[in-house]
Amino acid sequence: MIEQQTISPSKAALKPGFVTGLIMLVITFLIYFIDYTYLVSAWYGFASLVIFFGLVIYFGKQYRKELGGFMTFGTAFQFAFVTLIIAGLIAMVGNILLYHVIHPGLSEMLVKVQLENMMEMLDNFGAGESLSSDQIKDMRRDMEDAYTFVGQIKSFGIALIIYAILSLILGAVIKKRDKSTDF
């Protein structure tokens, strides 16, 4: 009997992570070219999350098939986590290029739109007038800081924690136990 050689979850996740990152980058640039204000909209963030989830599940199921149709939770978690890290790195590099090389003034424009959206939302809840000008200035500064090179790196650090949590969920979705080994 010939033993099937399997690729480790980390190695198997490299190509899907790269593909997922490139797809997310293409979507980001398409949205930028259509209307940059969509980059800070709630629907864009939600749609990105759905696409992220969908691609990781798709690639995870392909990897599970390569493994013979079954995958432990640990393997699925590792696959999902490495995929998300690679995709996140590519997205971060793309965002840094977009905000600092391609369109250096974009971050300032996005902060303005974000602040307007937030103030509109707070006004809808009746809380807009309760903010002082100092609080609004602090929010603006925090938003501006998020678009800096250091801010992008910090955001990726926070994203790693989020990726770990998402990977737990994705690992639970992707795993499949071989019930024939139950006694």
Side-chain angles (χ1 to χ4, degrees):
M1 188 163 146
I2 299 173
E3 195 172 304
Q4 184 181 0
Q5 193 166 3
T6 58
I7 301 171
S8 74
S10 296
K11 281 188 180 180
L14 293 177
K15 183 178 177 187
F18 186 74
V19 169
T20 302
L22 286 179
I23 289 171
M24 298 309 294
L25 200 57
V26 166
I27 291 169
T28 298
F29 276 89
L30 283 174
I31 296 298
Y32 163 72
F33 288 123
I34 292 169
D35 184 351
Y36 72 90
T37 62
Y38 293 152
L39 291 172
V40 291
S41 68
W43 71 263
Y44 173 71
F46 180 73
S48 295
L49 193 62
V50 168
I51 292 169
F52 234 39
F53 262 88
L55 288 170
V56 174
I57 290 169
Y58 171 76
F59 288 123
K61 287 184 176 184
Q62 279 188 329
Y63 179 55
R64 184 178 73 198
K65 195 181 292 183
E66 288 175 22
L67 294 176
F70 302 103
M71 187 182 328
T72 65
F73 173 77
T75 301
F77 169 80
Q78 187 177 357
F79 176 86
F81 191 53
V82 172
T83 300
L84 291 175
I85 289 172
I86 302 292
L89 280 169
I90 291 170
M92 180 188 67
V93 169
N95 285 336
I96 288 171
L97 286 173
L98 180 60
Y99 301 138
H100 299 282
V101 178
I102 297 169
H103 192 161
L106 179 63
S107 59
E108 198 174 299
M109 294 161 51
L110 290 175
V111 166
K112 182 180 179 206
V113 172
Q114 273 182 296
L115 204 53
E116 288 170 1
N117 290 347
M118 187 170 10
M119 293 308 294
E120 183 179 322
M121 184 180 70
L122 289 171
D123 285 340
N124 289 340
F125 289 115
E129 294 176 12
S130 65
L131 291 176
S132 70
S133 62
D134 286 340
Q135 289 172 314
I136 294 171
K137 285 178 187 174
D138 287 344
M139 287 190 306
R140 176 184 290 279
R141 187 182 63 246
D142 290 344
M143 289 176 190
E144 288 169 348
D145 288 347
Y147 290 103
T148 65
F149 181 77
V150 173
Q152 293 283 312
I153 301 294
K154 284 181 185 177
S155 293
F156 183 72
I158 294 166
L160 287 175
I161 296 166
I162 296 167
Y163 292 161
I165 294 166
L166 290 176
S167 295
L168 290 170
I169 297 165
L170 290 165
V173 171
I174 297 169
K175 74 167 177 57
K176 188 172 183 183
R177 192 171 55 116
D178 185 0
K179 294 179 183 176
S180 69
T181 61
D182 292 348
F183 316 3

